[in-house]
Structures are given as C-alpha cells and as structure tokens.
Amino acid sequence: METKPFLIALDLDGTLLKDDKTISNYSKEIIEKAKAAGHIVCIATGRPFRSSSIYYEELQLTTPIVNFNGAYVHHPKNDGWGKYHTTLDLQVVKEIIEVAEKYQIHNMLAEIIDDVYFHYHDEKLLDIFNMGNPDIKIGDLRENLGDDVTSILIHAVEEDVEKIRSYLSEVHAEIVDHRSWAAPFHVIEIIKAGMNKAVGLEKIASYYQIPAERIIAFGDEDNDVEMLQYAGHGVAMGNAIDKLKAVANKETRTNEEDGIAHYLKDVLSL
C-alpha cells in the first residue's frame, strides 16, 4: 500500500533541540527514516537562517525553511524557489524605538536577514547573536538603519514587558505582531502583522501540494500557536507552555525525551 507523504515541520529551540542545543542521535535516526520513507521534513523557527543552518545541514535537509517566525522563507538549496521576505516599515520602527527609549530597556536590536544592528553595546546578547557570523553594527538605530527591517527585538526590564506590549497592541496593532521570549530573557520580538510560522509553512505545503491534514507540526512556545492550529497534527511537546497545549490536538514527550522521534515513529510506523 502506498502511503501519501506527510510534511513534518520542526521548531528548533525547546522542540527538536535538547536543552544543550544539540539534536539527539535517536531524533536524527528517526528523522532520517521518515525522509527515507518519502516524508518531507522542514524547519520552522523564530531564528534567523544563519543560526539554524547548522541544524539544516546536520539533518541533511533539501527543503525550504521558515525563519523569523514566517517573515523570511526561502530554499537554501534552490534559489529559483523564491524568497519571501516580509519587512517592517522603517518609519514604524523609528516610532517604536522612540517609545521604547522611555522605558528602562537593556537594549534594542534590529535584524535585516543576516545583518544585526544593536542600539547599545551588549556582551550578553552579542554572544547569542554572533552565531553564523552576521554583520553587526552598534549605535543609535535611528541613525544606523537605512532600510526596512525583518524583525526588532526589545530587551526590556521584566516589569515593563507587558507595558510595552500593550502600547504595541494599542498603537501598532494593524502593523506589527509581537511576542515575548521564554524566561530568562525578557525580550519582545516584533515582526510585521500577520506573519507567523503557519504563513511560511503554507507556502511550503502548497509547493509540495500537501493538504493540512497531512502536516505534522511540533512546537513548545508562543510562536508555535498558529502553526499547530494550521497542521492536521498539531503536536505540543511535553515541555510546551499551557497556552500551546490548549490549541494542540496531540501531545508528545519533552524535548529532552526525544518527543519528536517517539511521535513520528508511532504515527508513521517507522
């Protein structure tokens, strides 16, 4: 009997990656089996491509990838596939910077694909954003940014996160979507309104002509909600936040317990 291929979408942090940011051998083995059985595996992450390409290569993928939660979708192995880059208007970015400066923020940074702009020098965040050797510029964003941006991150004081987010919702709801990162980072991430992983995954699914009921998507955080709602199999990791478990229609073990591998092995009989 011929089984129709599934499209399998993997979030990275807290989902495919263990807490030490590696992929377990068992996960790799089962993902390899899924690919050998004709299923299509892709990555859908909030990370930029430069800091997810190492995992893309490790899994030997040959599929498009969703980065920046859907704001950038492209095919690393096929330039002809198209690049979908949805940006934030520079003028709006400058207004947000003005407002953010009224709060006690640690830093703000803007990303344009693989170029990173820091408002202030910042050893802690530089470490995180150095992966993949981006071009980094440090200095007042209002002066350094000459182009529309892929995403803005505001590293705020914990008690101001909600205040800044409610300002964004009130003033810029039509234009931006924002989410906060998981602790310990009190970071607000801003991308263009209407952008999320499901939007990117839909582009990939339509390319492979795979209907939603044959999509399996795994996630653990706030930025996985739309993707899990869109997929026929929306699978929350055991370590996922409650909000995600509430919208998921399936659940698996944690990222430390090879949750993805166990789910795929059962459902796809690998």
Side-chain angles (χ1 to χ4, degrees):
M1 135 188 150
E2 195 190 339
T3 51
K4 292 186 165 166
F6 276 79
L7 174 60
I8 301 160
L10 310 173
D11 166 51
L12 291 175
D13 298 280
T15 302
L16 173 67
L17 305 183
K18 298 193 310 185
D19 294 343
D20 65 3
K21 304 298 180 197
T22 61
I23 305 172
S24 78
N25 288 330
Y26 186 54
S27 293
K28 273 191 281 203
E29 183 193 320
I30 296 296
I31 289 167
E32 206 36 66
K33 282 186 173 174
K35 283 161 55 190
H39 302 296
I40 299 153
V41 178
C42 67
I43 288 171
T45 176
R47 290 179 178 229
F49 180 63
R50 64 176 185 276
S51 62
S52 38
S53 59
I54 155 179
Y55 304 112
Y56 182 92
E57 296 303 336
E58 192 177 344
L59 295 176
Q60 299 180 323
L61 299 183
T62 52
T63 46
I65 182 170
V66 178
N67 289 112
F68 290 110
N69 292 322
Y72 185 52
V73 188
H74 80 298
H75 195 317
K77 305 280 186 202
N78 174 5
D79 280 346
W81 190 81
K83 281 183 169 47
Y84 301 92
H85 184 209
T86 313
T87 53
L88 284 165
D89 185 286
L90 186 58
Q91 202 37 55
V92 173
V93 171
K94 290 186 173 174
E95 283 172 38
I96 291 171
I97 292 165
E98 291 291 338
V99 170
E101 283 219 304
K102 300 191 172 96
Y103 293 91
Q104 283 291 60
I105 56 162
H106 299 299
N107 212 338
M108 279 180 289
L109 53 144
E111 298 188 73
I112 304 177
I113 310 279
D114 285 331
D115 296 339
V116 184
Y117 296 81
F118 278 83
H119 199 53
Y120 306 119
H121 183 82
D122 189 326
E123 288 303 325
K124 266 210 302 276
L125 284 182
L126 273 169
D127 267 2
I128 301 178
F129 283 87
N130 249 330
M131 191 172 176
N133 295 330
D135 250 349
I136 293 182
K137 284 195 181 67
I138 298 171
D140 193 316
L141 292 180
R142 287 160 297 198
E143 288 160 26
N144 279 343
L145 286 174
D147 220 336
D148 293 352
V149 308
T150 315
S151 104
I152 315 171
L153 300 171
I154 300 174
H155 187 197
V157 179
E158 184 174 1
E159 48 272 22
D160 285 342
V161 168
E162 285 314 315
K163 291 178 209 158
I164 298 172
R165 288 192 69 176
S166 63
Y167 154 78
L168 290 168
S169 298
E170 282 160 35
V171 183
H172 295 294
E174 304 296 303
I175 309 168
V176 306
D177 274 345
H178 53 90
R179 315 174 174 278
S180 28
W181 282 16
F185 289 102
H186 303 291
V187 170
I188 303 162
E189 178 177 282
I190 306 166
I191 57 177
K192 189 173 169 68
M195 282 298 108
N196 56 60
K197 291 182 182 184
V199 173
L201 191 55
E202 249 173 312
K203 290 190 171 74
I204 297 175
S206 82
Y207 172 71
Y208 290 109
Q209 298 184 307
I210 296 202
E213 62 265 22
R214 289 211 315 276
I215 296 176
I216 305 175
F218 296 92
D220 69 312
E221 267 299 330
D222 195 14
N223 62 340
D224 297 309
V225 168
E226 295 86 355
M227 174 166 83
L228 263 57
Q229 286 172 320
Y230 163 63
H233 295 240
V235 189
M237 303 302 289
N239 51 292
I241 59 171
D242 292 343
K243 178 182 172 185
L244 191 70
K245 287 182 177 179
V247 302
N249 55 18
K250 309 277 191 243
E251 204 177 306
T252 186
R253 302 181 193 189
T254 69
N255 63 320
E256 286 285 303
E257 301 164 325
D258 298 319
I260 288 176
H262 287 288
Y263 187 88
L264 293 177
K265 187 177 182 343
D266 285 353
V267 170
L268 302 177
S269 315
L270 298 170

